[in-house]
Amino acid sequence: MPGFFITLEGIEGVGKTTNLNYIRDRLERAGREVVVTREPGGTPLGEELRGLLLTPREETIDYMAELLMIFAARAQHLNQVIEPALQRGAWVLCDRFTDATFAYQGGGRQLDSAPVAQLEQLVQGERRPDLTVLLDLPVVQGLERARKRSAPDRFEAERVEFFERVRQVYLQRAAAEPGRVHVIDAAPALEVVQKQIDQLLDTLEKR
Ligand code: T5A
């Protein structure tokens, strides 16, 4: 039986990593094989590209170069990790995927979405997440949480307006694909957020 592909999305500090681990624990308790991974990254090459993308540097990275690096990492990740896991029936939980590219490179960087869509088709073919959990939080609150946790990376150093655009694209994508993208309010206490996630997983397990 083919596996199931879940992605977690949202702006900085919404709690993707925290809740990804929560979902993993719940699925593992139910006896599923779970592969937890992230983008950019997920392979040795992808993690090197992640380092290049996230580390602040003096040289400005051209936005198209940034986009191509993200899809280079994704091609490697998809073919080496995600597809084989799905083929053997595992559940793949991925911290960010291509919705992030539409949101950050399309929304944040204001690149035309057409090349993003073309690269999506070229690299992924028909592969899309089966379920995307969009954790939604006002930008200032998300940045506050992220900055409490660690020093800002190359993206986190962007201005608030950048993340407002990112958030808007995420919400637009959720509105356009309500069957795949489920918006969860990430503002309340973690236990409340996780109750919402439980409800979503309950409906999934009844499929
Ligand atoms: N990127 C990525 C692109 O530009 N294009 C792309 O295509 C892709 C794939 C990756 C960067 O790359 C960019 C976007 C990103 O800038 P990342 O590390 O994956 O970076 O993403 P971040 O958003 O930076 O990850 P963070 O670790 O900052 O945020 P998370 O994972 O959303 O949040 P988490 O779980 O670490 O939680 C942050 C803090 O908040 C607390 C947690 O305990 C933690 O301290 N917290 C809560 N506190 C109160 N109430 C709650 N409900 C809480 N939930 C979590």
Side-chain angles (χ1 to χ4, degrees):
M1 204 172 88
F4 200 77
F5 184 22
I6 302 179
T7 58
L8 271 84
E9 296 282 0
I11 57 157
E12 328 297 300
V14 288
K16 294 177 298 299
T17 311
T18 309
N19 289 302
L20 192 112
N21 291 332
Y22 179 77
I23 296 173
R24 179 204 54 209
D25 291 349
R26 173 171 163 159
L27 291 174
E28 282 182 349
R29 277 198 305 276
R32 313 257 187 204
E33 181 196 350
V34 183
V35 173
V36 172
T37 188
R38 66 174 180 181
E39 291 219 345
T43 63
L45 176 67
E47 291 295 325
E48 281 188 43
L49 287 166
R50 179 187 177 91
L52 288 173
L53 284 160
L54 266 58
T55 307
R57 59 197 287 135
E58 271 178 31
E59 176 191 17
T60 305
I61 299 185
D62 179 81
Y63 292 169
M64 187 54 74
E66 179 179 279
L67 177 68
L68 293 171
M69 284 164 74
I70 287 168
F71 270 104
R74 183 161 297 141
Q76 184 78 359
H77 190 207
L78 199 62
N79 292 316
Q80 303 286 321
V81 176
I82 297 176
E83 288 295 348
L86 292 173
Q87 294 313 322
R88 67 172 186 267
W91 285 49
V92 176
L93 299 184
C94 191
D95 196 335
R96 297 189 184 280
F97 195 61
T98 307
D99 288 301
T101 319
F102 281 100
Y104 281 78
Q105 281 60 51
R109 300 287 193 225
Q110 298 182 294
L111 275 178
D112 187 354
S113 63
V116 182
Q118 283 166 349
L119 285 164
E120 178 184 45
Q121 196 57 38
L122 182 70
V123 168
Q124 297 169 218
E126 297 310 308
R127 176 61 71 194
R128 301 290 181 275
D130 297 304
L131 170 74
T132 296
V133 178
L134 173 58
L135 294 162
D136 182 55
L137 189 63
V139 168
V140 173
Q141 232 174 310
L143 291 178
E144 220 169 81
R145 283 187 194 169
R147 283 172 188 160
K148 257 193 223 155
R149 202 216 39 215
S150 60
D153 62 31
R154 201 174 62 84
F155 287 98
E156 286 164 0
E158 289 292 339
R159 301 161 65 91
V160 168
E161 301 81 67
F162 174 93
F163 295 104
E164 294 289 3
R165 292 196 296 274
V166 171
R167 184 182 181 207
Q168 285 321 309
V169 172
Y170 270 135
L171 291 171
Q172 284 161 13
R173 290 180 70 74
E177 283 187 77
R180 173 178 68 89
V181 186
H182 293 258
V183 183
I184 285 193
D185 179 8
L190 197 52
E191 309 79 70
V192 179
V193 173
Q194 288 172 345
K195 257 196 200 121
Q196 298 178 68
I197 291 176
D198 276 333
Q199 282 166 4
L200 182 58
L201 294 178
D202 286 345
T203 57
L204 253 193
E205 282 173 347
K206 284 187 199 127
R207 284 180 328 137

